[in-house]
Amino acid sequence: MQILSNVRGLIVLVLGLLALGAEVFALAHAVRQRQDAFAATGKQTKTFWVAAPAIATLMGVAALGGIGFLAIIGIVIAGVYLADVRPAIDEVLGRRR
């Protein structure tokens, strides 16, 4: 049973690191974009979309090593940004293929 516990802990840690990576990527993308690109998409302001992934990243760091409520909220915020806002910004800026 000790081996299964160690494997489970390793899997949770790897998933937490992947989620943290997505949160950091969303934050880095939001920071690098022009402010008017957010207004053109009609999503929210740049301030909002920099603050949200920043908070998500902090939640991811706080929840690292365990799947908790903070980790779930953090990855949902990053997922919304990466799935909805990022493609809209890339399209507005002409980077969408």
Side-chain angles (χ1 to χ4, degrees):
M1 284 312 218
Q2 181 69 21
I3 293 173
L4 290 178
S5 178
N6 290 342
V7 170
R8 180 180 162 267
L10 183 63
I11 290 171
V12 168
L13 180 63
V14 168
L15 290 175
L17 288 173
L18 289 172
L20 183 60
E23 293 157 357
V24 169
F25 180 76
L27 175 61
H29 186 271
V31 167
R32 291 190 329 253
Q33 304 311 309
R34 298 185 338 222
Q35 190 159 353
D36 61 335
F38 289 90
T41 62
K43 298 295 180 186
Q44 281 290 338
T45 64
K46 179 176 181 171
T47 304
F48 176 86
W49 282 116
V50 168
I55 292 168
T57 301
L58 291 175
M59 289 178 178
V61 169
L64 198 59
I67 300 296
F69 192 63
L70 290 179
I72 293 169
I73 292 172
I75 195 62
V76 167
I77 292 170
V80 167
Y81 180 84
L82 293 173
D84 185 38
V85 180
R86 180 178 175 237
I89 289 173
D90 287 347
E91 186 174 326
V92 164
L93 295 177
R95 294 187 227 145
R96 198 81 169 139
R97 292 182 188 133

